[in-house]
Amino acid sequence: MITIKALNEARVRLHNTVHVTPVLTSRTLDEQTGASVYIKSEHLQKTGSFKIRGATNCVMIAKDQGARHLVAASSGNHGQAVAFVARELGIPATIVIPENANAAKEEAIRNYGAEVVHVGTTSSERLQYAEQLVEQLNATFIPPYDDEAVMAGQGTVGLEILSQVHDPEVVIVPIGGGGLISGISTAIKHINPKIKVIGVEPENASDTLKSRKAGQRITIDRADTIADGLRASTPGEMTFPIIEEHVDDIITVSEEEIREAFVFYLSRMKQVVEPSGSVTLAALRSGKVTHHGGNVVVVASGGNLDLRAIKRFVE
Ligand SMILES: *Cc1c(COP(=O)(O)O)cnc(C)c1O
């Protein structure tokens, strides 16, 4: 559960620390979708994704409680966010990443001043190693989504949406482990339960939709998608019940639909939104989101990308 108190405290903690990101509009997009579309632009956030919100909230609380070393297990946006916050707050950090991690991502983490350790190729190997490190160094583990402080930090995106967009009809949010949508949906449903919150997963990584249909958390075999931030194979223990309570619908998009949305952002809006952040626009553009022509908010969750990958996406 995320309390309203936790959300409000996160908002105060993050004030002056993270950007209030803009909402972008496009006449072409409005014409093509029949809605008034607002892109909540977390690809323009510090470190290139919303992950800085949850990481900052969690690390600030940990610091108050005396944390002296931070550990995270992520080669992606969470790893970058924790490395960035650690340096801002003057706490050493160790980020555990896979042996086959992308060199560009590793460099970004190192550039923020964190120590990088390569371990195995599966997330369970990395988590195990991270646990050992936490013991050895008497460190604090910063989880990517299954944590109240992290979810509340991500929820500040929802509070900002409500202050930036008049009377939203639908808010569309990507789902990986489910931290972002847990925070946003809690904020939105608390303030106006009539606003629909729609989650989006790649068809190839639809663990949350499958779990919803099964009525319990299930684990999928393999999540093979260009949306690398959404490759979680099971929803979080804490996030799943929140999603079940607050998220109205979960939609899946194909790899081709993700590519199409990515190219739309790049060519029509001049925005670099990584595939994980493009799934929400893909859902809207594919016609799978039910709306009545009102204000539709699309969360563009991140913009970090290996530039060489663009060639593959646009071919
Ligand atoms: C982590 C991430 C997501 C998914 O967020 P969860 O909280 O894991 O559901 C979506 N988009 C981007 C760009 C991310 O980095």
Side-chain angles (χ1 to χ4, degrees), residues 31-271:
E31 281 168 6
Q32 290 176 347
T33 59
S36 296
V37 185
Y38 296 85
I39 309 292
K40 177 58 175 165
S41 298
E42 288 293 298
H43 62 294
L44 304 176
Q45 185 53 269
K46 285 185 187 174
T47 74
S49 87
F50 72 90
K51 290 278 196 330
I52 191 74
R53 296 175 184 261
T56 300
N57 195 41
C58 190
V59 171
M60 281 180 141
I61 292 171
K63 189 180 181 188
D64 283 347
Q65 293 170 349
R68 288 199 314 229
H69 198 120
L70 306 173
V71 172
S74 159
S75 60
N77 291 336
H78 177 62
Q80 291 191 36
V82 172
F84 179 90
V85 180
R87 190 178 60 185
E88 291 282 291
L89 297 182
I91 309 174
T94 306
I95 313 294
V96 185
I97 71 171
E99 269 157 15
N100 56 357
N102 174 304
K105 289 183 169 174
E106 178 181 340
E107 200 177 304
I109 294 171
R110 280 194 209 284
N111 284 342
Y112 288 131
E115 191 187 336
V116 172
V117 186
H118 293 264
V119 178
T121 50
T122 65
S123 60
S124 66
E125 285 169 286
R126 286 193 293 287
L127 281 175
Q128 231 178 2
Y129 187 85
E131 274 171 26
Q132 282 175 22
L133 266 186
V134 165
E135 284 267 312
Q136 279 167 21
L137 303 171
N138 195 12
T140 304
F141 183 68
I142 308 298
Y145 48 83
D146 236 2
D147 177 276
E148 192 192 21
V150 171
M151 294 187 293
Q154 322 304 31
T156 59
V157 175
L159 298 176
E160 282 176 24
I161 287 170
L162 291 167
S163 68
Q164 290 173 306
V165 179
H166 175 70
D167 196 18
E169 180 186 351
V170 182
V171 177
I172 314 173
V173 187
I175 308 180
L180 178 62
I181 198 166
S182 292
I184 290 180
S185 63
T186 300
I188 286 185
K189 293 291 181 176
H190 174 70
I191 291 167
N192 183 355
K194 284 195 225 126
I195 300 171
K196 295 269 181 279
V197 178
I198 308 292
V200 184
E201 290 184 305
E203 273 166 19
N204 295 349
S206 63
D207 52 297
T208 306
L209 178 59
K210 292 200 172 91
S211 297
R212 169 167 282 199
K213 285 182 175 159
Q216 59 179 13
R217 291 165 61 226
I218 58 128
T219 302
I220 59 169
D221 281 349
R222 211 163 149 250
D224 193 10
T225 170
I226 55 169
D228 57 358
L230 309 180
R231 283 187 191 144
S233 58
T234 185
E237 216 173 298
M238 293 179 75
T239 59
F240 185 61
I242 298 171
I243 291 170
E244 285 302 84
E245 186 179 345
H246 291 314
V247 175
D248 295 281
D249 203 1
I250 300 173
I251 287 169
T252 63
V253 289
S254 70
E255 297 296 294
E256 192 42 47
E257 287 165 341
I258 300 171
R259 273 195 200 91
E260 197 276 339
F262 174 86
V263 171
F264 183 90
Y265 272 131
L266 196 60
S267 64
R268 304 304 293 260
M269 295 186 72
K270 324 302 167 197
Q271 301 298 311

